[in-house]
Amino acid sequence: MWAASNVKVGDCLAAASVTLRRYLKLGAIMAKSKFEYVRDFEADDTCLAHCWVVVRLDGRNFHRFAEKHHFAKPNDSRALHLMTKCAQTVMEELEDIVIAYGQSDEYSFVFKRKSNWFKRRASKFMTHVVSQFASSFVFYWRSYFEDQPLLYPPGFDGRVVVYPSNQTLKDYLSWRQADCHINNLYNTVFWALVQQSGLTPVQAQARLQGTLAADKNEILFSEFNINYNNEPMMFRKGTVLIWQKVDEVTTKEVKLPAEMEGMKMVVTRTRTKPVPLHCDIIGDAFWKEHPEILDEDS
Ligand SMILES: Nc1nc2c(ncn2[C@@H]2O[C@H](COP(=O)(O)OP(=O)(O)OP(=O)(O)O)[C@@H](O)[C@H]2O)c(=O)[nH]1
Ligand SMILES: [Mg+2]
Ligand SMILES: [Mg+2]
């Protein structure tokens, strides 16, 4: 009697263990198919630890895009404000961006040194920034170009560069702002010569060949009565976006005692938002005024 029931228990245990093994094997197959090895072909694009990660995007063939959409020359405020709106959206939607800088058809976004967003994968940083920016450009187009329909879908390229120190990051941003200054000074004189003096683009180009910054300033001043230093800061310096506390004032209907029913109250909320500045970032003053940007723990 005892022997018989022992056999039965033993049989049951053996059967259960076979079933369990079968399930485990099936689970393993489901989790790891024979095709799984193709993952090994994916390149590791982790950005080096503790470095600043910069994503720069740039409009594709915007020379043509600006012509087709009748951008003002040399600077179109609508286009520059739209670019900044898109960059603010990128900063608000994505994580860990501490500062952004934009000019012309480009914007650079700097991720925190210690960001671990998507395990620091360069492709994730770049594709999220560029796709969010491009969809925002189309989404907000009409708010900035009321009378100018968007004629075709614009595109943007992107690249990722890592900078190992605060100095190299500051030099990177200085390089982009110096580029803004050089191009804007050239374009301001070039278009004054074409639009106001009636030179052809080829003649204007020949006139400016070999001129230094001082010569260009002199042409602007003596021939067009333009003091370059009085040109709008947004054109000369580009746009810096940093996080700042902003008071948002809204009127709200709030629940009040019966005798005050229906009254509205002004509510002030403090929010941290990406705020545009048009200032020099090459000198030390900006960095001394905003030490939190380069803060080790940022
Ligand atoms: N009129 C006008 N044109 C602008 C403005 N901002 C950008 N652009 C145009 O956009 C161009 C941007 O230069 P690039 O990015 O070097 O050149 P691109 O034509 O976009 O070509 P790729 O970037 O190489 O695809 C400028 O050369 C201008 O032709 C603007 O405010 N007004
Ligand atoms: Mg471009
Ligand atoms: Mg460009």
Side-chain angles (χ1 to χ4, degrees), residues 58-59 103-106:
D58 184 285
Q103 51 118 349
S104 182
D105 67 338
E106 69 170 60

Side-chain angles (χ1 to χ4, degrees), residues 121-191:
R121 287 173 62 188
S123 52
K124 292 281 187 181
F125 282 129
M126 186 173 70
T127 53
H128 275 300
V129 166
V130 176
S131 68
Q132 194 73 48
F133 192 96
S135 66
S136 303
F137 195 91
V138 175
F139 188 78
Y140 291 114
W141 172 267
R142 275 200 57 188
S143 313
Y144 293 83
F145 286 86
E146 286 163 17
D147 308 319
Q148 171 60 60
L150 183 59
L151 300 176
Y152 60 88
F156 295 85
D157 70 20
R159 71 191 70 191
V160 176
V161 188
V162 292
Y163 290 100
S165 65
N166 290 358
Q167 193 56 53
T168 49
L169 175 70
K170 286 197 278 185
D171 287 347
Y172 168 77
L173 293 167
S174 299
W175 172 50
R176 298 324 303 149
Q177 191 166 58
D179 186 81
C180 173
H181 165 72
I182 292 164
N183 290 336
N184 190 58
L185 178 58
Y186 182 93
N187 291 338
T188 306
V189 198
F190 179 89
W191 287 109

Side-chain angles (χ1 to χ4, degrees), residues 246-267:
V246 179
D247 282 343
E248 268 187 349
V249 183
T250 47
T251 39
K252 261 193 178 169
E253 207 154 327
V254 285
K255 281 223 181 310
L256 290 166
E259 65 272 17
M260 295 166 79
E261 211 170 287
M263 276 187 70
K264 286 187 176 157
M265 267 185 69
V266 175
V267 182

Side-chain angles (χ1 to χ4, degrees), residues 17-282:
S17 112
V18 169
T19 315
L20 186 66
R21 258 186 279 140
R22 248 188 226 144
Y23 271 118
L24 284 175
K25 201 173 166 195
L26 189 65
I29 288 167
M30 279 163 73
K32 213 168 168 41
S33 74
K34 68 171 183 172
F35 307 115
E36 193 78 9
Y37 79 98
V38 296
R39 263 181 178 281
D40 298 340
F41 287 81
E42 286 181 23
D44 176 13
D45 62 348
T46 311
C47 294
L48 194 62
H50 293 204
C51 290
W52 297 104
V53 177
V54 175
V55 176
R56 181 166 83 252
L57 56 78
D58 184 285
R60 189 172 71 85
N61 200 358
F62 258 46
H63 182 73
R64 172 171 179 261
F65 186 85
E67 285 293 331
K68 294 273 180 207
H69 293 85
H70 308 289
F71 280 18
K73 288 167 175 150
N75 292 289
D76 190 309
S77 296
R78 299 167 303 175
L80 296 173
H81 283 129
L82 171 59
M83 291 286 290
T84 293
K85 175 68 184 173
C86 300
Q88 286 170 309
T89 309
V90 167
M91 286 176 78
E92 278 173 329
E93 293 293 327
L94 311 189
E95 280 171 37
D96 292 348
I97 297 169
V98 284
I99 183 171
Y101 173 75
Q103 51 118 349
S104 182
D105 67 338
E106 69 170 60
Y107 245 100
S108 298
F109 299 87
V110 182
F111 286 82
K112 286 178 185 178
R113 291 185 85 136
K114 292 185 182 166
S115 174
N116 202 29
W117 197 50
F118 286 108
K119 298 194 176 134
R120 294 178 74 80
R121 287 173 62 188
S123 52
K124 292 281 187 181
F125 282 129
M126 186 173 70
T127 53
H128 275 300
V129 166
V130 176
S131 68
Q132 194 73 48
F133 192 96
S135 66
S136 303
F137 195 91
V138 175
F139 188 78
Y140 291 114
W141 172 267
R142 275 200 57 188
S143 313
Y144 293 83
F145 286 86
E146 286 163 17
D147 308 319
Q148 171 60 60
L150 183 59
L151 300 176
Y152 60 88
F156 295 85
D157 70 20
R159 71 191 70 191
V160 176
V161 188
V162 292
Y163 290 100
S165 65
N166 290 358
Q167 193 56 53
T168 49
L169 175 70
K170 286 197 278 185
D171 287 347
Y172 168 77
L173 293 167
S174 299
W175 172 50
R176 298 324 303 149
Q177 191 166 58
D179 186 81
C180 173
H181 165 72
I182 292 164
N183 290 336
N184 190 58
L185 178 58
Y186 182 93
N187 291 338
T188 306
V189 198
F190 179 89
W191 287 109
L193 289 169
V194 172
Q195 290 167 341
Q196 297 184 47
S197 291
L199 267 63
T200 64
V202 174
Q203 287 169 331
Q205 197 185 355
R207 173 87 199 275
L208 292 175
Q209 187 109 44
T211 55
L212 303 174
D215 305 321
K216 295 187 186 77
N217 274 305
E218 185 53 31
I219 297 174
L220 279 176
F221 196 67
S222 58
E223 294 182 33
F224 303 103
N225 202 21
I226 294 173
N227 181 343
Y228 182 72
N229 289 332
N230 294 338
E231 288 293 289
M233 288 285 272
M234 180 168 70
F235 300 167
R236 289 189 292 124
K237 302 288 179 195
T239 303
V240 186
L241 286 170
I242 55 170
W243 293 98
Q244 288 194 326
K245 285 202 170 80
V246 179
D247 282 343
E248 268 187 349
V249 183
T250 47
T251 39
K252 261 193 178 169
E253 207 154 327
V254 285
K255 281 223 181 310
L256 290 166
E259 65 272 17
M260 295 166 79
E261 211 170 287
M263 276 187 70
K264 286 187 176 157
M265 267 185 69
V266 175
V267 182
T268 308
R269 267 196 333 164
T270 306
R271 277 223 307 149
T272 310
K273 292 175 109 180
V275 173
L277 305 174
H278 311 293
C279 61
D280 177 81
I281 54 171
I282 297 176

